[in-house]
Amino acid sequence: MHHDSDSAFMQLALEWAARGMYTTAPNPRVGCVIVQNGAVIGAGHTQPAGQAHAEIMALRDAAARGLDVRGATAYVTLEPCNHHGRTPPCSEALVRAGLGRVVVAIKDPNPLVAGQGMATLAAAGIAVEAGVLAEQAYELNIGFFSRMQRGRPWVRLKAAASLDGMTALHNGQSQWITGAQARADGHAWRARACAILTGIGTVKADDPALTVRAVDTPRQPRRIIVDSQLEIDPAARVLAGAPSWIVTASTDTARHAALTAAGHEIIVLPNDAGKVDLPALMQELGRREINELHVEAGAKLNGSLVREGCVDELLVYLAPSLIGDAQGMFALPALSRLDQQYRLRFHDVATVGADLRILARFTQPEE
C-alpha cells in the first residue's frame, strides 16, 4: 500500500530524473531516490547511454556516504530494467543490495522489461508497488513510450504566430513575432528533443542553424532536413558543425556524393508522388532510436505532416499582436464540412513573457 510520503519521495526522484533531460537519449530519463527511516540516503539519475542507470547511481551514492541500504525503500521513476542491454540489469542490483521495498512510478513500455523487472524484485521477497505519480513519469519520457509502443518518435511541432495565426509576412520577414522569453523557452524544447526536423523551404527562405543557443545543453540535437529533390546548398547553415540527415526522394548520385563527402547521411524514402514518404520517415526515425522529434518548418511541410497523421502535439507560441494577411502556420486544404476538422485538446496553457504558450495534442477519434 502507498504511504503518504511516497508521493513526496517520488517527486524528488522525478526531479533527479529531469537532470538527465538532455543527456540520456536514447535511454529514458530515470531518477532513483533511496530512503531509510524517512531520510534520503542515496540519489541518482541515468547517465548517458552505456553508462550507469539511476538505480546504480543511487546505490553508489549511498555507498560513498558510507550508508547501509539494507531494508531501505527505493523510489524509481521507471520500472528497473531486467535485461542485459548496454549495462547489466538494475533489478538484480537492487536485489543484491538487500532493499526492503521498491516503489515504481510506471511500468517500462520496453517489451524486454514490461513487468519483468518488478517480478524479479517480488520473487526475491522485496515489496513492490507501482503507479505513484505515473502521469508525470510518463510525460517525462513521452518519446521513449512512443518509440517502444508505436515504433516511432513523439512528434512535437513548434510554431510562433500572431494572434491571427500568422508566422511571417509575405516578404518572408518573421523576426521576431514573439518575445525573447518565448524564444528561449522554444530552445529548451529544442534541447530536450533527440532531433530537429525542418524542410528545404525553410532552409532556402531563412537559412536557419537550428541549434540550441538560448539554454545550456551538453549536446545538440541531430538535424534532419526533408528535401524531396535534394536542392540543399552544401553551404547551408543547418549543415554546419555536425552531420545531418537529409531525407529525399532523389536518387541523383552526384548530389548525394557531394553531401555524403561532407559527412551527411542521405535517407531515400520516396512516396508515389515523388515526395518524401513522411509516415515511413517516422518509422525509420523510430528504428534510429529517436524518442522526441521537434519540428520547426514552414506551412507546407507542417500541413503535410498534419495531413499524414505524423504530428502528436503542437507547441504554439502566440504573440498579442495582429499581422493581417501573411503566411499561416499550416498549408491545409479547404474543408467543405466542419466535421472534417482536425481536433486537438489543450494539454497545457501558460504565459511566457508577454506571449501565450499552448501545448495541444491531436485527439484520436475515440477520445
Side-chain angles (χ1 to χ4, degrees), residues 52 70 73 152 162 170 190 203 268 303:
R70 282 174 304 182
T73 299
R152 65 185 192 83
S162 58
H170 286 306
R190 255 185 206 183
V203 173
V268 182

Side-chain angles (χ1 to χ4, degrees), residues 48-192:
Q51 297 177 42
H53 288 189
E55 300 90 327
I56 307 301
M57 295 301 291
L59 289 169
R60 283 181 191 166
D61 182 34
R65 301 190 204 185
L67 299 171
D68 186 358
V69 301
R70 282 174 304 182
T73 299
Y75 294 87
V76 194
T77 61
L78 188 69
E79 176 184 4
C81 66
N82 196 50
H83 64 289
H84 284 269
R86 296 182 180 95
T87 57
C90 292
S91 51
E92 292 176 14
L94 293 172
V95 171
R96 277 198 309 275
L99 284 154
R101 181 168 174 257
V102 175
V103 182
V104 172
I106 193 167
K107 204 167 108 168
D108 193 325
N110 184 342
L112 293 170
V113 185
Q116 298 171 38
M118 293 192 292
T120 298
L121 298 171
I126 296 174
V128 181
E129 287 163 56
V132 178
L133 304 190
E135 197 177 327
Q136 290 96 308
Y138 167 77
E139 289 293 334
L140 190 63
N141 286 306
I142 196 162
F144 181 74
F145 275 81
S146 172
R147 182 163 68 82
M148 288 296 156
Q149 292 169 339
R150 307 185 299 175
R152 65 185 192 83
W154 179 262
V155 180
R156 187 179 291 119
L157 188 155
K158 182 248 173 182
S162 58
L163 208 47
D164 48 355
M166 299 301 158
T167 61
L169 302 181
H170 286 306
N171 64 15
Q173 203 184 324
S174 65
Q175 295 179 337
W176 296 104
I177 291 172
T178 51
Q181 282 158 283
R183 294 200 297 279
D185 191 70
H187 275 249
W189 287 96
R190 255 185 206 183
R192 68 173 278 170

Side-chain angles (χ1 to χ4, degrees), residues 208-257:
L210 289 183
T211 50
V212 177
R213 297 179 297 279
V215 297
D216 285 333
T217 178
R219 58 133 191 116
Q220 289 289 340
R222 165 92 53 186
R223 290 166 295 180
I224 306 171
I225 303 97
V226 173
D227 181 6
S228 295
Q229 306 309 310
L230 216 51
E231 303 166 85
I232 194 161
D233 179 345
R237 287 173 62 196
V238 76
L239 298 181
S244 294
W245 294 343
I246 302 159
V247 194
T248 186
S250 164
T251 51
D252 183 326
T253 47
R255 287 183 184 177
H256 278 219

Side-chain angles (χ1 to χ4, degrees), residues 15-31:
E15 286 164 22
W16 272 88
R19 297 186 184 195
M21 184 68 81
Y22 306 149
T23 52
T24 65
N27 289 339
R29 306 154 177 143
V30 184

